[in-house]
Amino acid sequence: MQKKWGASMGQAVRLTYYDNYMPVGDIVTIAICMIMIVLVATSYVKKTRTFSVFISLIICILIAAFADMIQHDWYTYVTDGNYTAVYVFRLIYHIALFSVLIGYVIYIIELMRLEMYRKVPIMITASILYVFMVVLDVIYSVSGKGFTIKADGSYKTGANIFMIGYVCFVSLSLFIMIAYRSKLYKQVLRGFYGTIIIAFMVLCIQSKHGQSSFTVTTFLFPVIGMLYLVHSNPYDMELGSVSARAFEDVIRYNFDKNQDLGTMSLLLTDYDNPNAILPPEVSEAIRKVSADYFTGAVLFQISKGHVLLAAKKSLNKDYENKLDKVLEAFNEYHDRFNLDYKIIIGDSTLEIGVKNEYLDLIRTIQKHIGVNTIHRISKDDVERYKTYKYVLSELADIVRGGNLRDPRVLAYCQPVLNISTGKYDTAEALMRLKLQDTGMVFPDKFIPLAEEYGYIHSLTKIMLQRTCDEIRYLVKENYDVKRISVNVSVLEMRDDNFIADIEKIISDSGIPKEKIAIEITESQNDDDFQITKDKVDRLKDMGIKIYLDDFGTGYSNMERIMELPFDIIKFDRSLVIASSTDNRSEKMVGSLAEMFSGLDYSVLFEGVETEEDEKRCTSQSAAYLQGYKYSKPIPIMDLKNFFSKLEQEDNNA
């Protein structure tokens, strides 16, 4: 009777312990973790270091949930008094939860990208706390001061070591988020704060009701927040694409895994602006083509009119054949929609993958290929891109340095023949770069970059300084130098300091302002025209001569030319060539030159290369001639070989 009563009592104790726990919480937690894994596998998330920690957190929560269920089930059904498995799975349960807690700390400092001197002390603190709490939990269980199961099956909870560790880790996480809150976007911080607070509230509520069923579930709340706030990258339902922010991660991830990635970039030029909306039928066609041909391909929307398809070649053994089919399908759609496009096909490469500049490479190529072109990225493209990036970095360094005599910027000149005197007394200053890795770089390679990135005015100041230095030398050595012209971009005119910078450099050099001329091209923009006119008027007031460069190329508005107080009109090489083609063209060019000459403009023909060019231009009211017939561009210090010295009496006069 006593033995039967004892067995009944032990069963009652076990049932009491079981009544404090229901597996529903852990079952739901396991289900949610599995759903998150499925979503992560089928959607697109950035595979960064924080993502690796995120996956580790899910795995630890799964282990904790399974261990929690097993320890309770084992305790309930043990009849022989051997509860070793319960202790083991309870320890696994606590270690898994402590691992989640330290995982929170690691995740936060990785997400915030803390500096190493800040990261290391936090990691040491968290690691010591982790080891201490796990060891303490084991010691308390073995010594009987913690959770202990008696011989009759009854148990005592003892000191709650886990809750102490929980509070310590949560406090550490909150401290990091508060102390370095400027490192994270405010809304993301609020999301993390909210999930932690709700988790703590649920723990308190279940504790009040003598429950432990949802402990593991509360650890899942911040992880759900991570997925939504940091790693989510939903598909666009119309295109079936994910956002551009994931593409660079794709390149980095596949590069790290040494996996070759094939890409196909499509730019619809008519829709390459933020306000564009792709027609539904075009979106449907893009979605269909991207989904039907490659296995495991992902479509990225880089901008409104720019999409990029990426596919692992390892999953597509007949990759080239599939690519041909995609292009065939595209041609069929192009015949239907007739939209202008630029297609770039390529592979992730070692050189670009290292710095993750693949998308920038594609954008750079897009600028230089024609509309309705299919271009395959080659090694030459990669080399040109690397040169482009190097030149751009050197330009940035030149501008940052602010040295008006930076040795990387070279001043060249092309002498100009004065027809009235038969002498060289003027010249055009021409810029070159001489860089360590590339040697000489010509203007067509760096001037567009300097204009695009806002470096052009700094380069002009260097050229003006070099020109002023040479003029000062020539004047001092008694050379007959009338003036040297410096090219100026219309974009520089927008700079409020443009006039002040020009005036200061010339004044500090101590040369007469009339020894400097400024060459500008005509602006096609109404706003730029008015700004240019104001700046030109002020330069003229300083005594600086103004050239209109490249007359005869592209856009020429006679009314605007007449409004600007030019001194010299430079006829482009194209007009020199045109005047030699037939009698009609020669008369037209000659009439233009005669008209400008009659209006007190001096006419300069550039690009004169032969005796025939010289005779023809001289007969067409030319005042100055410039071109390879007289000299190729030369270092500016060699101008003295073309300029003649003044007579001594002329100098004294």
Side-chain angles (χ1 to χ4, degrees):
M1 181 71 182
Q2 186 176 359
K3 183 176 180 182
K4 184 177 180 181
W5 182 86
S8 301
M9 187 65 180
Q11 182 69 21
V13 171
R14 286 195 291 272
L15 289 175
T16 301
Y17 180 61
Y18 190 80
D19 286 342
N20 291 337
Y21 167 83
M22 295 293 289
V24 61
D26 287 327
I27 292 172
V28 170
T29 300
I30 292 169
I32 294 175
C33 286
M34 293 296 186
I35 289 171
M36 291 174 72
I37 291 172
V38 169
L39 292 176
V40 165
T42 55
S43 64
Y44 209 87
V45 293
K46 296 184 68 175
K47 295 179 176 64
T48 58
R49 291 181 66 179
T50 52
F51 177 74
S52 299
V53 178
F54 170 78
I55 293 297
S56 299
L57 290 172
I58 294 178
I59 293 171
C60 288
I61 290 172
L62 276 172
I63 292 172
F66 278 115
D68 195 25
M69 285 195 299
I70 292 171
Q71 66 146 328
H72 282 90
D73 284 348
W74 205 288
Y75 175 85
T76 304
Y77 295 108
V78 167
T79 57
D80 60 359
N82 184 3
Y83 294 99
T84 302
V86 177
Y87 285 110
V88 170
F89 280 102
R90 183 178 177 82
L91 180 61
I92 293 172
Y93 165 67
H94 280 179
I95 290 176
L97 292 184
F98 281 135
S99 298
V100 174
L101 290 171
I102 193 173
Y104 289 160
V105 175
I106 296 170
Y107 186 90
I108 293 167
I109 61 177
E110 287 294 335
L111 190 64
M112 289 182 163
R113 297 181 181 177
L114 294 183
E115 298 84 352
M116 191 60 67
Y117 74 91
R118 289 174 172 168
K119 182 188 295 186
V120 170
I122 295 173
M123 283 304 304
I124 292 174
T125 302
S127 300
I128 292 173
L129 180 60
Y130 176 80
V131 173
F132 177 76
M133 296 312 303
V134 170
V135 171
L136 194 63
D137 195 22
V138 173
I139 291 173
Y140 265 62
S141 294
V142 172
S143 65
K145 295 180 179 179
F147 176 81
T148 307
I149 305 175
K150 299 177 182 178
D152 62 356
S154 62
Y155 71 95
K156 67 171 186 175
T157 56
N160 195 340
I161 301 302
F162 170 74
M163 186 54 67
I164 296 172
Y166 178 85
V167 172
C168 290
F169 272 111
V170 170
S171 300
L172 179 59
S173 299
L174 289 173
F175 166 76
I176 299 168
M177 287 192 287
I178 294 171
Y180 304 112
R181 58 188 177 277
S182 60
K183 297 279 188 178
L184 275 185
Y185 182 52
K186 188 182 295 183
Q187 296 300 98
V188 173
L189 274 175
R190 289 174 179 172
F192 282 140
Y193 291 150
T195 57
I196 291 172
I197 291 171
I198 292 171
F200 188 74
M201 287 173 57
V202 171
L203 277 177
C204 292
I205 292 171
Q206 78 162 4
S207 178
K208 181 180 179 181
H209 291 276
Q211 274 286 319
S212 62
S213 304
F214 294 95
T215 300
V216 182
T217 309
T218 62
F219 281 70
L220 190 59
F221 296 167
V223 177
I224 294 173
M226 293 171 190
L227 177 63
Y228 186 82
L229 294 170
V230 180
H231 301 290
S232 63
N233 194 349
Y235 285 100
D236 180 278
M237 290 299 101
E238 291 186 4
L239 277 177
S241 62
V242 292
S243 68
R245 64 180 180 151
F247 179 70
E248 290 185 354
D249 176 63
V250 174
I251 295 295
R252 181 201 58 77
Y253 180 79
N254 284 275
F255 173 77
D256 290 344
K257 299 294 183 181
N258 197 28
Q259 295 177 342
D260 200 6
L261 194 71
T263 64
M264 180 177 181
S265 163
L266 169 64
L267 174 67
L268 298 175
T269 55
D270 294 335
Y271 295 91
D272 190 27
N273 66 81
N275 299 318
I277 300 176
L278 285 175
E281 59 272 19
V282 175
S283 296
E284 182 181 353
I286 292 173
R287 184 177 67 247
K288 180 174 176 56
V289 169
S290 63
D292 287 355
Y293 294 93
F294 292 107
T295 303
V298 180
L299 184 68
F300 302 89
Q301 185 162 24
I302 310 303
S303 64
K304 289 291 186 179
H306 184 195
V307 294
L308 194 149
L309 188 67
K312 292 181 181 179
K313 289 189 173 182
S314 60
L315 298 178
N316 297 272
K317 300 301 182 182
D318 54 345
Y319 175 80
E320 290 296 331
N321 183 45
K322 290 181 177 180
L323 187 60
D324 290 339
K325 290 182 179 179
V326 169
L327 292 176
E328 288 175 11
F330 174 81
N331 287 330
E332 293 177 7
Y333 284 117
H334 181 256
D335 292 340
R336 185 194 309 175
F337 301 125
N338 196 29
L339 296 175
D340 289 335
Y341 66 87
K342 293 182 181 181
I343 291 178
I344 298 174
I345 299 168
D347 305 317
S348 56
T349 62
L350 176 63
E351 296 93 338
I352 303 303
V354 170
K355 295 185 178 180
N356 207 344
E357 296 174 330
Y358 196 73
L359 188 55
D360 194 35
L361 167 66
I362 290 173
R363 288 177 174 140
T364 302
I365 295 174
Q366 283 175 345
K367 295 177 184 177
H368 297 98
I369 64 173
V371 175
N372 299 331
T373 299
I374 298 175
H375 180 89
R376 294 201 72 144
I377 299 175
S378 65
K379 290 183 178 179
D380 289 341
D381 289 322
V382 175
E383 289 303 315
R384 280 192 292 268
Y385 174 76
K386 288 164 63 179
T387 300
Y388 153 84
K389 292 295 288 185
Y390 172 68
V391 171
L392 185 59
S393 67
E394 288 292 293
L395 287 174
D397 189 62
I398 289 169
V399 172
R400 281 194 301 268
N403 180 8
L404 292 181
R405 295 181 177 87
D406 194 302
R408 290 169 289 185
V409 182
L410 304 181
Y412 273 58
C413 266
Q414 193 168 32
V416 175
L417 178 65
N418 186 334
I419 292 178
S420 64
T421 64
K423 296 180 179 180
Y424 300 100
D425 53 15
T426 65
E428 177 186 4
L430 302 166
M431 196 184 319
R432 304 283 189 269
L433 295 181
K434 189 173 183 180
L435 307 178
Q436 182 176 348
D437 291 357
T438 59
M440 192 73 75
V441 183
F442 292 93
D444 62 316
K445 301 298 183 185
F446 68 85
I447 292 296
L449 284 178
E451 290 183 330
E452 181 180 353
Y453 287 89
Y455 301 150
I456 189 64
H457 183 51
S458 296
L459 296 181
T460 296
K461 289 194 295 181
I462 295 174
M463 276 301 296
L464 181 60
Q465 182 65 64
R466 290 291 179 82
T467 302
C468 289
D469 290 346
E470 186 62 23
I471 291 174
R472 185 173 63 241
Y473 165 79
L474 292 171
V475 170
K476 180 182 177 183
E477 294 298 318
N478 203 33
Y479 283 95
D480 181 14
V481 51
K482 194 171 184 179
R483 63 181 167 269
I484 298 177
S485 62
V486 176
N487 287 278
V488 168
S489 169
V490 171
L491 299 177
E492 294 181 65
M493 301 290 185
R494 302 172 186 172
D495 193 320
D496 293 337
N497 297 320
F498 175 77
I499 295 295
D501 290 340
I502 299 294
E503 184 172 21
K504 183 178 188 310
I505 291 172
I506 298 174
S507 298
D508 290 350
S509 298
I511 65 170
K513 291 185 174 64
E514 61 269 18
K515 298 290 185 184
I516 287 290
I518 297 295
E519 294 195 21
I520 62 172
T521 54
E522 186 185 356
S523 171
Q524 299 182 30
N525 181 286
D526 289 336
D527 293 336
D528 282 343
F529 172 75
Q530 189 56 51
I531 293 171
T532 300
K533 186 177 186 307
D534 293 341
K535 296 287 177 31
V536 166
D537 287 338
R538 293 172 64 185
L539 291 171
K540 288 281 290 182
D541 291 341
M542 292 164 53
I544 294 174
K545 298 291 185 182
I546 306 297
Y547 289 28
L548 171 62
D549 195 16
D550 296 333
F551 175 75
T553 60
Y555 179 88
S556 292
N557 186 316
M558 295 299 295
E559 182 180 356
R560 286 185 173 179
I561 292 174
M562 302 300 289
E563 284 188 49
L564 292 171
F566 293 114
D567 296 289
I568 294 177
I569 307 295
K570 294 187 70 172
F571 277 37
D572 185 72
R573 164 72 179 162
S574 60
L575 291 182
V576 176
I577 295 172
S579 67
S580 68
T581 55
D582 54 56
N583 189 52
R584 182 171 176 271
S585 299
E586 183 177 357
K587 286 183 178 180
M588 185 177 294
V589 174
S591 297
L592 285 170
E594 184 179 358
M595 177 193 70
F596 283 120
S597 182
L599 293 171
D600 295 329
Y601 297 100
S602 295
V603 176
L604 187 159
F605 281 90
E606 57 182 341
V608 176
E609 296 186 356
T610 65
E611 289 284 347
E612 290 75 16
D613 288 343
E614 181 182 64
K615 291 178 182 178
R616 190 170 59 257
C617 294
T618 302
S619 69
Q620 293 175 331
S621 303
Y624 299 97
L625 299 177
Q626 177 183 348
Y628 276 25
K629 181 183 185 303
Y630 311 107
S631 175
K632 294 181 178 181
I634 56 173
I636 195 168
M637 68 282 297
D638 292 341
L639 267 180
K640 62 179 181 284
N641 298 328
F642 287 83
F643 287 3
S644 57
K645 286 198 173 186
L646 292 166
E647 297 290 337
Q648 191 62 40
E649 57 271 24
D650 291 343
N651 188 48
N652 292 335

